[in-house]
Amino acid sequence: RRELVEAQMCLAAQLAVALAVVSAAAGPAAAAAMVDIRSFGAVPGNTSVAAALANARAVELAVQAAAAKGEAALVPRGLSFDLLPVHVTGVHGAWLHLEGNLSAHANISDWGGSKKTKFPSLITFLACEGVTITANASSPAAIVGNGYDWWWARLLNDLSYAPNLVYVQNCTDVLIDGVRTENSPRFNFYLLEVKRVEVRFVTVWTDLEGQRQGLEAAGHWDAAGRLPTFPLNTDGIDVCGQDVWVHDVEITNWDDALCVKPCRELTWGCSSNHTYENAVIHFGVGASVGSVPPSARVNCVRDILFRNITFESPTKAIYLKSNGGDVGTAVVEDVTYEHIRATGSVWYPVYLGPQQQKEPDGRGDGWWPPTNPLVSFRNITMRDVQFDDVIWPQAGVLRCNASNPCTGVVLEDMTISGWNATEWVCEHASGHAADVTPQPQCLAPTQRPGHLQVPDTTVASASTDGSRQPKPHKRL
Protein backbone atom coordinates (compact mmCIF):
# COMPACT_ATOMS: atom_id res chain seq x y z
CA ARG A 1 0.00 0.00 0.00
CA ARG A 2 2.83 2.43 0.87
CA GLU A 3 4.43 1.83 -2.53
CA LEU A 4 1.12 2.54 -4.23
CA VAL A 5 0.71 5.85 -2.41
CA GLU A 6 4.29 6.88 -3.18
CA ALA A 7 3.83 6.07 -6.84
CA GLN A 8 0.66 8.09 -6.97
CA MET A 9 2.27 11.02 -5.20
CA CYS A 10 4.90 11.17 -7.91
CA LEU A 11 2.19 12.55 -10.16
CA ALA A 12 1.67 15.55 -7.86
CA ALA A 13 3.61 17.94 -10.07
CA GLN A 14 1.13 17.57 -12.91
CA LEU A 15 -1.81 18.78 -10.88
CA ALA A 16 0.34 21.31 -9.01
CA VAL A 17 1.00 23.06 -12.30
CA ALA A 18 -2.68 22.98 -13.24
CA LEU A 19 -3.78 24.26 -9.85
CA ALA A 20 -1.14 26.99 -9.90
CA VAL A 21 -2.69 28.29 -13.10
CA VAL A 22 -6.17 28.14 -11.59
CA SER A 23 -4.99 29.77 -8.36
CA ALA A 24 -3.17 32.55 -10.15
CA ALA A 25 -6.32 33.38 -12.05
CA ALA A 26 -8.59 33.03 -9.05
CA GLY A 27 -7.30 35.57 -6.54
CA PRO A 28 -9.17 38.87 -6.27
CA ALA A 29 -6.15 40.84 -7.49
CA ALA A 30 -6.14 38.88 -10.75
CA ALA A 31 -9.30 40.53 -12.04
CA ALA A 32 -8.96 43.92 -13.72
CA ALA A 33 -12.42 44.75 -12.37
CA MET A 34 -15.31 43.11 -10.59
CA VAL A 35 -18.98 43.18 -11.35
CA ASP A 36 -20.87 44.47 -8.30
CA ILE A 37 -24.11 42.57 -7.76
CA ARG A 38 -25.78 45.92 -6.95
CA SER A 39 -25.41 46.89 -10.58
CA PHE A 40 -28.00 44.19 -11.33
CA GLY A 41 -30.45 45.31 -8.66
CA ALA A 42 -29.18 43.68 -5.46
CA VAL A 43 -30.49 45.45 -2.36
CA PRO A 44 -28.49 45.18 0.91
CA GLY A 45 -30.02 45.25 4.35
CA ASN A 46 -33.54 44.31 3.24
CA THR A 47 -35.03 41.00 4.38
CA SER A 48 -38.30 41.13 2.44
CA VAL A 49 -39.24 38.35 0.03
CA ALA A 50 -39.02 40.80 -2.87
CA ALA A 51 -35.45 41.76 -1.91
CA ALA A 52 -34.41 38.12 -1.46
CA LEU A 53 -35.71 37.26 -4.94
CA ALA A 54 -34.13 40.36 -6.48
CA ASN A 55 -30.81 39.58 -4.84
CA ALA A 56 -30.85 36.02 -6.12
CA ARG A 57 -31.47 37.21 -9.66
CA ALA A 58 -28.78 39.87 -9.31
CA VAL A 59 -26.19 37.28 -8.26
CA GLU A 60 -27.09 35.09 -11.24
CA LEU A 61 -26.84 37.96 -13.71
CA ALA A 62 -23.64 39.33 -12.19
CA VAL A 63 -21.92 35.92 -12.38
CA GLN A 64 -22.95 35.54 -16.03
CA ALA A 65 -21.85 39.06 -16.96
CA ALA A 66 -18.55 38.76 -15.11
CA ALA A 67 -17.75 35.38 -16.68
CA ALA A 68 -18.21 36.86 -20.15
CA LYS A 69 -15.38 39.31 -19.32
CA GLY A 70 -13.20 36.93 -17.31
CA GLU A 71 -14.03 38.75 -14.09
CA ALA A 72 -15.72 38.03 -10.77
CA ALA A 73 -19.15 38.87 -9.45
CA LEU A 74 -18.61 40.89 -6.27
CA VAL A 75 -20.59 40.81 -3.04
CA PRO A 76 -19.40 44.19 -1.70
CA ARG A 77 -17.65 44.67 1.60
CA GLY A 78 -19.56 45.46 4.75
CA LEU A 79 -23.00 44.70 3.31
CA SER A 80 -25.40 41.78 3.78
CA PHE A 81 -27.80 40.55 1.13
CA ASP A 82 -30.84 38.43 1.99
CA LEU A 83 -31.17 35.58 -0.47
CA LEU A 84 -33.52 32.99 -1.84
CA PRO A 85 -32.07 30.25 -4.10
CA VAL A 86 -29.50 31.18 -6.77
CA HIS A 87 -29.04 28.96 -9.86
CA VAL A 88 -26.07 29.34 -12.21
CA THR A 89 -26.14 26.87 -15.11
CA GLY A 90 -23.78 26.23 -18.00
CA VAL A 91 -21.45 29.17 -17.37
CA HIS A 92 -17.78 28.95 -18.35
CA GLY A 93 -15.57 30.66 -15.78
CA ALA A 94 -18.22 31.36 -13.12
CA TRP A 95 -16.61 33.30 -10.27
CA LEU A 96 -18.29 34.64 -7.13
CA HIS A 97 -16.16 36.75 -4.80
CA LEU A 98 -17.37 37.54 -1.28
CA GLU A 99 -16.41 40.63 0.65
CA GLY A 100 -19.87 40.97 2.22
CA ASN A 101 -22.44 38.44 3.38
CA LEU A 102 -24.98 36.36 1.52
CA SER A 103 -27.66 35.39 4.03
CA ALA A 104 -30.32 32.72 3.50
CA HIS A 105 -33.84 34.11 3.78
CA ALA A 106 -34.92 33.12 7.28
CA ASN A 107 -38.67 32.64 6.86
CA ILE A 108 -39.13 28.99 5.88
CA SER A 109 -42.66 29.53 4.59
CA ASP A 110 -41.31 31.90 1.92
CA TRP A 111 -39.28 29.04 0.43
CA GLY A 112 -42.50 27.28 -0.59
CA GLY A 113 -42.88 23.54 -0.54
CA SER A 114 -44.24 21.09 2.01
CA LYS A 115 -43.03 18.51 4.50
CA LYS A 116 -41.53 16.20 1.86
CA THR A 117 -40.09 18.95 -0.39
CA LYS A 118 -36.40 18.64 -1.24
CA PHE A 119 -35.62 22.34 -1.09
CA PRO A 120 -33.14 23.80 -3.58
CA SER A 121 -29.74 24.81 -2.26
CA LEU A 122 -29.06 28.44 -1.49
CA ILE A 123 -26.35 28.66 -4.19
CA THR A 124 -26.23 26.15 -7.05
CA PHE A 125 -23.69 25.82 -9.86
CA LEU A 126 -24.73 23.26 -12.46
CA ALA A 127 -22.86 22.03 -15.56
CA CYS A 128 -20.21 24.76 -15.40
CA GLU A 129 -16.61 24.64 -16.62
CA GLY A 130 -14.56 26.50 -14.08
CA VAL A 131 -16.31 27.43 -10.81
CA THR A 132 -14.55 29.74 -8.35
CA ILE A 133 -15.89 30.95 -5.01
CA THR A 134 -13.49 33.16 -3.07
CA ALA A 135 -13.42 35.47 -0.07
CA ASN A 136 -10.82 37.89 1.27
CA ALA A 137 -9.05 36.71 4.41
CA SER A 138 -9.23 40.28 5.73
CA SER A 139 -12.98 40.48 5.24
CA PRO A 140 -15.58 39.05 7.67
CA ALA A 141 -17.60 37.80 4.70
CA ALA A 142 -19.70 34.66 5.06
CA ILE A 143 -22.48 32.63 3.54
CA VAL A 144 -24.97 32.57 6.40
CA GLY A 145 -27.53 29.78 6.55
CA ASN A 146 -29.84 30.90 9.38
CA GLY A 147 -30.41 27.23 10.02
CA TYR A 148 -31.95 27.28 13.50
CA ASP A 149 -35.60 27.09 12.45
CA TRP A 150 -34.79 24.47 9.81
CA TRP A 151 -33.11 22.25 12.44
CA TRP A 152 -36.04 22.66 14.77
CA ALA A 153 -38.56 21.88 12.03
CA ARG A 154 -36.68 18.71 11.14
CA LEU A 155 -36.35 17.65 14.76
CA LEU A 156 -40.12 18.00 15.20
CA ASN A 157 -40.66 16.12 11.89
CA ASP A 158 -42.42 19.13 10.38
CA LEU A 159 -39.95 18.90 7.47
CA SER A 160 -38.01 15.95 6.09
CA TYR A 161 -35.42 18.02 4.22
CA ALA A 162 -33.63 21.37 4.34
CA PRO A 163 -31.53 23.28 1.79
CA ASN A 164 -27.77 23.01 1.40
CA LEU A 165 -25.74 26.21 1.33
CA VAL A 166 -23.46 25.58 -1.67
CA TYR A 167 -24.22 22.87 -4.22
CA VAL A 168 -22.02 22.19 -7.25
CA GLN A 169 -22.97 19.42 -9.70
CA ASN A 170 -21.48 18.18 -12.94
CA CYS A 171 -18.80 20.89 -12.98
CA THR A 172 -15.07 20.83 -13.63
CA ASP A 173 -12.12 22.85 -12.31
CA VAL A 174 -13.68 23.98 -9.05
CA LEU A 175 -11.86 26.22 -6.56
CA ILE A 176 -13.35 27.28 -3.20
CA ASP A 177 -10.93 29.50 -1.31
CA GLY A 178 -11.20 31.35 1.99
CA VAL A 179 -14.97 31.04 2.30
CA ARG A 180 -16.73 30.94 5.66
CA THR A 181 -20.14 29.35 6.13
CA GLU A 182 -22.34 29.71 9.19
CA ASN A 183 -25.27 27.67 10.47
CA SER A 184 -26.22 25.86 7.31
CA PRO A 185 -29.71 24.33 7.29
CA ARG A 186 -28.18 21.14 5.83
CA PHE A 187 -24.83 20.42 4.09
CA ASN A 188 -22.45 23.38 3.92
CA PHE A 189 -20.68 22.30 0.70
CA TYR A 190 -22.09 19.49 -1.43
CA LEU A 191 -20.06 18.80 -4.56
CA LEU A 192 -21.55 16.08 -6.75
CA GLU A 193 -20.01 14.56 -9.89
CA VAL A 194 -17.19 17.09 -10.05
CA LYS A 195 -13.68 16.86 -11.46
CA ARG A 196 -10.47 18.69 -10.53
CA VAL A 197 -11.47 20.31 -7.26
CA GLU A 198 -9.57 22.27 -4.63
CA VAL A 199 -11.17 23.48 -1.39
CA ARG A 200 -8.80 25.44 0.85
CA PHE A 201 -8.78 27.76 3.87
CA VAL A 202 -12.49 27.23 4.41
CA THR A 203 -14.22 27.64 7.78
CA VAL A 204 -17.49 25.89 8.56
CA TRP A 205 -19.17 27.15 11.73
CA THR A 206 -22.25 25.84 13.53
CA ASP A 207 -22.91 28.10 16.48
CA LEU A 208 -24.25 26.71 19.78
CA GLU A 209 -24.69 30.12 21.37
CA GLY A 210 -26.34 31.37 18.22
CA GLN A 211 -28.68 28.40 18.44
CA ARG A 212 -29.77 29.51 21.88
CA GLN A 213 -30.41 33.04 20.68
CA GLY A 214 -32.23 31.82 17.59
CA LEU A 215 -34.42 29.44 19.57
CA GLU A 216 -35.26 32.18 22.03
CA ALA A 217 -36.19 34.54 19.21
CA ALA A 218 -38.42 31.86 17.68
CA GLY A 219 -40.02 31.00 21.02
CA HIS A 220 -38.58 27.47 21.10
CA TRP A 221 -35.98 27.74 23.86
CA ASP A 222 -38.21 26.57 26.72
CA ALA A 223 -39.77 23.87 24.55
CA ALA A 224 -36.27 22.59 23.82
CA GLY A 225 -35.60 22.13 27.51
CA ARG A 226 -33.11 24.99 27.32
CA LEU A 227 -30.76 22.82 25.31
CA PRO A 228 -29.49 23.41 21.76
CA THR A 229 -31.28 21.66 18.94
CA PHE A 230 -29.21 18.91 17.35
CA PRO A 231 -28.28 20.32 13.91
CA LEU A 232 -29.20 17.33 11.76
CA ASN A 233 -27.20 16.72 8.55
CA THR A 234 -25.02 19.83 8.86
CA ASP A 235 -22.21 18.11 6.93
CA GLY A 236 -19.12 20.20 6.33
CA ILE A 237 -17.65 19.29 2.92
CA ASP A 238 -19.14 16.36 1.00
CA VAL A 239 -17.71 15.34 -2.37
CA CYS A 240 -18.54 12.77 -5.03
CA GLY A 241 -15.95 13.29 -7.74
CA GLN A 242 -12.46 12.76 -9.08
CA ASP A 243 -9.14 14.51 -8.43
CA VAL A 244 -10.13 16.29 -5.24
CA TRP A 245 -7.90 18.16 -2.76
CA VAL A 246 -9.36 19.60 0.44
CA HIS A 247 -6.85 21.17 2.81
CA ASP A 248 -6.27 23.66 5.59
CA VAL A 249 -9.87 23.81 6.76
CA GLU A 250 -11.55 24.20 10.15
CA ILE A 251 -14.99 22.70 10.73
CA THR A 252 -17.41 22.93 13.65
CA ASN A 253 -20.56 20.90 13.11
CA TRP A 254 -22.62 17.90 14.24
CA ASP A 255 -22.51 15.54 11.29
CA ASP A 256 -19.88 14.33 8.82
CA ALA A 257 -17.14 16.95 8.76
CA LEU A 258 -15.24 15.73 5.69
CA CYS A 259 -17.09 13.15 3.64
CA VAL A 260 -16.38 11.18 0.47
CA LYS A 261 -19.63 10.32 -1.25
CA PRO A 262 -19.82 7.42 -3.72
CA CYS A 263 -20.25 8.01 -7.43
CA ARG A 264 -21.79 5.46 -9.81
CA GLU A 265 -18.98 3.80 -11.66
CA LEU A 266 -20.96 2.55 -14.65
CA THR A 267 -22.57 5.89 -15.51
CA TRP A 268 -20.19 8.59 -14.26
CA GLY A 269 -17.08 6.99 -12.81
CA CYS A 270 -15.79 6.07 -9.40
CA SER A 271 -15.41 8.71 -6.70
CA SER A 272 -11.63 8.57 -6.61
CA ASN A 273 -8.29 10.24 -6.02
CA HIS A 274 -9.20 12.44 -3.03
CA THR A 275 -6.85 13.95 -0.45
CA TYR A 276 -8.12 15.59 2.74
CA GLU A 277 -5.37 17.03 4.90
CA ASN A 278 -4.44 19.62 7.52
CA ALA A 279 -7.87 19.93 9.09
CA VAL A 280 -9.10 20.80 12.57
CA ILE A 281 -12.55 19.48 13.41
CA HIS A 282 -14.61 20.44 16.45
CA PHE A 283 -17.38 18.00 17.35
CA GLY A 284 -18.56 16.49 14.05
CA VAL A 285 -19.15 12.87 13.07
CA GLY A 286 -15.89 12.16 11.42
CA ALA A 287 -13.68 12.12 8.41
CA SER A 288 -16.10 9.85 6.64
CA VAL A 289 -16.68 7.64 3.65
CA GLY A 290 -20.32 7.10 2.75
CA SER A 291 -22.83 6.18 3.34
CA VAL A 292 -22.43 3.69 0.50
CA PRO A 293 -25.48 1.67 -0.55
CA PRO A 294 -25.44 -0.88 -3.36
CA SER A 295 -26.52 0.24 -6.81
CA ALA A 296 -27.18 -1.42 -10.15
CA ARG A 297 -24.69 1.15 -11.50
CA VAL A 298 -22.09 0.19 -8.85
CA ASN A 299 -21.52 2.79 -6.16
CA CYS A 300 -17.79 3.23 -5.87
CA VAL A 301 -15.17 4.94 -3.65
CA ARG A 302 -11.50 4.34 -4.42
CA ASP A 303 -8.07 5.77 -3.62
CA ILE A 304 -8.78 8.15 -0.73
CA LEU A 305 -6.30 9.71 1.70
CA PHE A 306 -7.10 11.46 4.99
CA ARG A 307 -4.06 12.78 6.84
CA ASN A 308 -2.98 15.31 9.45
CA ILE A 309 -6.44 15.72 10.96
CA THR A 310 -7.15 16.76 14.55
CA PHE A 311 -10.51 16.24 16.25
CA GLU A 312 -11.88 17.85 19.39
CA SER A 313 -14.78 16.00 21.07
CA PRO A 314 -15.98 14.19 17.94
CA THR A 315 -19.00 11.90 17.91
CA LYS A 316 -16.98 9.64 15.63
CA ALA A 317 -13.57 10.35 14.06
CA ILE A 318 -12.71 7.63 11.52
CA TYR A 319 -15.99 6.59 9.94
CA LEU A 320 -16.62 4.29 6.95
CA LYS A 321 -20.26 3.35 6.46
CA SER A 322 -22.27 1.12 4.20
CA ASN A 323 -26.02 1.48 3.79
CA GLY A 324 -29.01 -0.72 3.14
CA GLY A 325 -30.28 -1.88 -0.24
CA ASP A 326 -30.75 -5.15 -2.07
CA VAL A 327 -30.08 -4.25 -5.73
CA GLY A 328 -26.64 -3.99 -7.32
CA THR A 329 -23.27 -3.72 -5.61
CA ALA A 330 -20.84 -1.21 -4.15
CA VAL A 331 -17.13 -1.10 -3.39
CA VAL A 332 -14.96 0.95 -1.03
CA GLU A 333 -11.28 0.29 -1.50
CA ASP A 334 -7.80 1.75 -1.01
CA VAL A 335 -8.67 4.20 1.75
CA THR A 336 -5.92 5.47 4.07
CA TYR A 337 -6.07 7.44 7.31
CA GLU A 338 -2.75 8.59 8.73
CA HIS A 339 -1.53 11.04 11.37
CA ILE A 340 -4.94 11.33 13.05
CA ARG A 341 -5.41 12.79 16.55
CA ALA A 342 -8.55 13.11 18.67
CA THR A 343 -9.43 13.99 22.25
CA GLY A 344 -12.71 13.35 24.02
CA SER A 345 -14.40 11.10 21.46
CA VAL A 346 -18.03 10.81 22.51
CA TRP A 347 -18.93 7.62 20.64
CA TYR A 348 -16.87 5.07 18.70
CA PRO A 349 -13.64 6.81 17.64
CA VAL A 350 -13.23 4.24 14.85
CA TYR A 351 -16.22 2.78 13.04
CA LEU A 352 -16.29 0.64 9.90
CA GLY A 353 -19.69 -0.91 9.27
CA PRO A 354 -23.34 -0.19 8.47
CA GLN A 355 -24.47 3.40 8.95
CA GLN A 356 -26.02 4.17 12.33
CA GLN A 357 -28.86 6.56 11.58
CA LYS A 358 -32.49 7.19 12.40
CA GLU A 359 -34.06 10.39 11.11
CA PRO A 360 -37.04 12.03 12.86
CA ASP A 361 -39.24 11.06 9.90
CA GLY A 362 -38.30 7.38 10.31
CA ARG A 363 -35.69 7.10 7.55
CA GLY A 364 -32.54 5.17 8.39
CA ASP A 365 -31.72 1.66 9.58
CA GLY A 366 -31.27 2.48 13.26
CA TRP A 367 -28.67 2.02 15.99
CA TRP A 368 -27.30 -1.43 15.10
CA PRO A 369 -28.41 -2.29 11.56
CA PRO A 370 -27.47 -5.45 9.70
CA THR A 371 -24.36 -5.51 7.54
CA ASN A 372 -24.85 -5.52 3.78
CA PRO A 373 -23.26 -8.34 1.73
CA LEU A 374 -23.54 -6.24 -1.44
CA VAL A 375 -21.07 -3.60 -0.20
CA SER A 376 -17.38 -4.58 -0.26
CA PHE A 377 -14.63 -2.99 1.84
CA ARG A 378 -11.06 -3.68 0.73
CA ASN A 379 -7.63 -2.32 1.66
CA ILE A 380 -8.51 0.04 4.50
CA THR A 381 -5.42 1.38 6.29
CA MET A 382 -5.19 3.39 9.52
CA ARG A 383 -1.72 4.35 10.71
CA ASP A 384 -0.28 6.69 13.32
CA VAL A 385 -3.58 7.24 15.10
CA GLN A 386 -3.98 8.43 18.69
CA PHE A 387 -7.30 8.89 20.47
CA ASP A 388 -7.23 10.12 24.09
CA ASP A 389 -9.98 10.48 26.70
CA VAL A 390 -12.48 8.36 24.80
CA ILE A 391 -15.82 8.53 26.59
CA TRP A 392 -17.52 5.52 24.95
CA PRO A 393 -16.66 2.21 26.65
CA GLN A 394 -15.43 0.53 23.47
CA ALA A 395 -12.37 1.27 21.37
CA GLY A 396 -13.96 0.88 17.97
CA VAL A 397 -16.00 -1.14 15.52
CA LEU A 398 -14.90 -3.26 12.55
CA ARG A 399 -18.20 -4.84 11.61
CA CYS A 400 -18.29 -6.60 8.27
CA ASN A 401 -20.51 -9.14 6.56
CA ALA A 402 -20.08 -12.87 7.07
CA SER A 403 -20.58 -13.69 3.38
CA ASN A 404 -18.54 -10.72 2.14
CA PRO A 405 -15.86 -9.98 4.76
CA CYS A 406 -13.71 -6.86 4.82
CA THR A 407 -10.24 -7.70 3.49
CA GLY A 408 -6.88 -5.99 3.72
CA VAL A 409 -7.68 -4.06 6.91
CA VAL A 410 -4.40 -2.69 8.29
CA LEU A 411 -4.00 -0.89 11.62
CA GLU A 412 -0.55 0.39 12.55
CA ASP A 413 0.68 2.57 15.41
CA MET A 414 -2.75 3.14 16.93
CA THR A 415 -3.51 3.95 20.57
CA ILE A 416 -7.04 4.36 21.90
CA SER A 417 -7.34 5.25 25.57
CA GLY A 418 -10.13 6.41 27.82
CA TRP A 419 -12.80 5.27 30.20
CA ASN A 420 -12.94 1.50 29.77
CA ALA A 421 -12.14 1.68 26.04
CA THR A 422 -10.50 -1.73 26.16
CA GLU A 423 -12.31 -3.82 23.56
CA TRP A 424 -13.37 -3.71 19.92
CA VAL A 425 -16.46 -4.96 18.19
CA CYS A 426 -14.62 -6.90 15.50
CA GLU A 427 -16.46 -9.21 13.10
CA HIS A 428 -15.58 -10.73 9.73
CA ALA A 429 -12.56 -8.54 8.99
CA SER A 430 -9.17 -9.83 7.91
CA GLY A 431 -5.80 -8.10 7.87
CA HIS A 432 -3.29 -7.23 10.55
CA ALA A 433 -2.73 -4.89 13.47
CA ALA A 434 0.78 -3.75 14.43
CA ASP A 435 1.45 -1.77 17.62
CA VAL A 436 -2.26 -1.27 18.31
CA THR A 437 -3.70 -0.75 21.80
CA PRO A 438 -6.14 -2.26 22.49
CA GLN A 439 -5.74 -5.07 20.02
CA PRO A 440 -8.77 -5.85 17.81
CA GLN A 441 -9.32 -9.56 18.23
CA CYS A 442 -10.27 -10.33 14.61
CA LEU A 443 -7.02 -8.95 13.11
CA ALA A 444 -3.73 -10.80 13.28
CA PRO A 445 -1.26 -9.06 15.64
CA THR A 446 2.16 -8.29 14.16
CA GLN A 447 5.22 -6.41 15.35
CA ARG A 448 7.04 -3.68 13.47
CA PRO A 449 10.30 -2.00 14.37
CA GLY A 450 9.97 1.66 15.34
CA HIS A 451 7.08 4.06 15.06
CA LEU A 452 6.10 6.76 12.65
CA GLN A 453 7.00 10.31 13.56
CA VAL A 454 4.07 12.69 13.99
CA PRO A 455 4.38 15.61 11.58
CA ASP A 456 3.67 19.19 12.51
CA THR A 457 0.13 20.01 11.44
CA THR A 458 -1.36 23.43 10.95
CA VAL A 459 -4.76 24.63 9.85
CA ALA A 460 -3.35 27.18 7.43
CA SER A 461 -0.03 27.34 5.66
CA ALA A 462 1.59 30.65 4.85
CA SER A 463 4.60 31.92 2.97
CA THR A 464 7.15 34.21 4.56
CA ASP A 465 5.25 37.28 3.42
CA GLY A 466 2.02 36.02 4.98
CA SER A 467 0.24 35.19 1.74
CA ARG A 468 -1.49 31.88 1.32
CA GLN A 469 0.28 29.44 -0.92
CA PRO A 470 -1.25 26.43 -2.65
CA LYS A 471 0.45 23.14 -1.91
CA PRO A 472 0.89 20.58 -4.68
CA HIS A 473 -1.93 18.09 -5.00
CA LYS A 474 -1.07 14.53 -4.12
CA ARG A 475 -1.54 13.33 -7.67
CA LEU A 476 -3.59 13.70 -10.85
Side-chain angles (χ1 to χ4, degrees):
R1 173 60 184 163
R2 184 182 298 275
E3 288 76 8
L4 175 62
V5 171
E6 289 174 349
Q8 293 164 333
M9 290 179 69
C10 288
L11 299 175
Q14 298 178 44
L15 190 54
V17 171
L19 288 175
V21 172
V22 172
S23 299
M34 294 194 186
V35 177
D36 192 321
I37 62 172
R38 290 176 296 181
S39 63
F40 288 90
V43 181
N46 186 330
T47 59
S48 68
V49 175
L53 290 169
N55 292 341
R57 184 57 176 160
V59 171
E60 294 167 355
L61 292 174
V63 168
Q64 293 167 11
K69 300 187 290 184
E71 298 172 357
L74 171 67
V75 180
R77 180 181 293 267
L79 299 177
S80 182
F81 297 84
D82 202 61
L83 206 63
L84 280 165
V86 170
H87 299 272
V88 177
T89 301
V91 175
H92 180 81
W95 180 6
L96 179 63
H97 180 67
L98 302 171
E99 295 188 2
N101 286 356
L102 294 176
S103 182
H105 188 68
N107 190 334
I108 294 176
S109 63
D110 292 334
W111 287 68
S114 61
K115 178 178 177 177
K116 295 296 184 180
T117 296
K118 293 186 177 181
F119 292 90
S121 300
L122 183 65
I123 301 171
T124 295
F125 291 91
L126 180 64
C128 296
E129 296 181 15
V131 174
T132 302
I133 308 173
T134 54
N136 273 352
S138 61
S139 171
I143 302 173
V144 181
N146 296 314
Y148 314 115
D149 284 350
W150 292 96
W151 303 333
W152 187 254
R154 292 207 58 218
L155 192 68
L156 295 180
N157 197 25
D158 292 336
L159 293 174
S160 294
Y161 302 96
N164 307 306
L165 278 190
V166 177
Y167 179 67
V168 181
Q169 183 178 8
N170 193 25
C171 295
T172 61
D173 303 295
V174 178
L175 174 65
I176 301 173
D177 182 9
V179 177
R180 177 184 175 91
T181 60
E182 297 179 358
N183 300 316
S184 177
R186 191 172 179 261
F187 297 176
N188 286 266
F189 297 95
Y190 189 15
L191 313 181
L192 177 64
E193 296 176 345
V194 290
K195 294 184 178 181
R196 297 182 297 279
V197 175
E198 183 177 4
V199 180
R200 64 190 187 196
F201 309 113
V202 158
T203 300
V204 170
W205 174 247
T206 309
D207 183 7
L208 277 173
E209 176 61 18
Q211 273 196 67
R212 182 189 66 77
Q213 296 172 0
L215 289 168
E216 283 182 339
H220 296 321
W221 183 244
D222 289 328
R226 296 187 176 273
L227 291 172
T229 302
F230 187 75
L232 298 168
N233 301 123
T234 51
D235 291 26
I237 302 168
D238 289 20
V239 188
C240 150
Q242 297 173 352
D243 305 328
V244 176
W245 185 29
V246 177
H247 63 98
D248 299 286
V249 299
E250 185 168 7
I251 297 172
T252 303
N253 74 335
W254 276 267
D255 213 305
D256 299 320
L258 302 168
C259 188
V260 182
K261 293 294 188 185
C263 296
R264 290 171 175 172
E265 187 163 37
L266 298 186
T267 54
W268 190 85
C270 189
S271 193
S272 60
N273 191 26
H274 296 212
T275 297
Y276 301 81
E277 61 182 341
N278 299 345
V280 172
I281 296 169
H282 309 278
F283 312 112
V285 191
S288 306
V289 174
S291 62
V292 183
S295 168
R297 290 171 281 181
V298 187
N299 275 328
C300 177
V301 172
R302 180 180 295 123
D303 190 17
I304 309 298
L305 175 63
F306 295 96
R307 65 182 173 193
N308 300 348
I309 299 176
T310 300
F311 295 89
E312 176 191 6
S313 302
T315 301
K316 293 185 175 88
I318 295 175
Y319 190 15
L320 301 99
K321 45 186 172 175
S322 61
N323 213 337
D326 55 10
V327 176
T329 59
V331 60
V332 177
E333 61 185 358
D334 299 327
V335 179
T336 298
Y337 293 83
E338 61 183 18
H339 315 317
I340 308 296
R341 299 291 180 266
T343 57
S345 297
V346 176
W347 207 3
Y348 302 109
V350 177
Y351 186 97
L352 188 166
Q355 176 174 231
Q356 296 177 292
Q357 182 187 49
K358 199 67 174 178
E359 298 279 5
D361 65 0
R363 288 176 295 141
D365 292 333
W367 170 274
W368 202 251
T371 59
N372 194 326
L374 302 178
V375 182
S376 300
F377 288 92
R378 300 192 287 258
N379 303 332
I380 311 299
T381 299
M382 308 173 198
R383 66 164 65 95
D384 186 28
V385 174
Q386 182 173 332
F387 295 143
D388 297 322
D389 303 320
V390 174
I391 296 172
W392 193 254
Q394 288 171 314
V397 172
L398 302 174
R399 189 163 168 253
C400 306
N401 185 266
S403 64
N404 186 14
C406 302
T407 60
V409 178
V410 175
L411 277 53
E412 297 176 345
D413 293 298
M414 176 183 287
T415 301
I416 301 174
S417 62
W419 179 75
N420 204 34
T422 58
E423 294 184 355
W424 290 72
V425 176
C426 196
E427 302 171 351
H428 311 298
S430 65
H432 76 262
D435 301 316
V436 175
T437 304
Q439 171 74 33
Q441 62 272 22
C442 65
L443 299 182
T446 60
Q447 296 294 323
R448 299 188 313 110
H451 294 266
L452 294 174
Q453 292 296 113
V454 180
D456 179 43
T457 61
T458 55
V459 178
S461 60
S463 65
T464 55
D465 64 0
S467 62
R468 288 171 172 170
Q469 297 294 324
K471 291 187 275 186
H473 193 287
K474 184 179 77 148
R475 57 216 185 259
L476 179 63

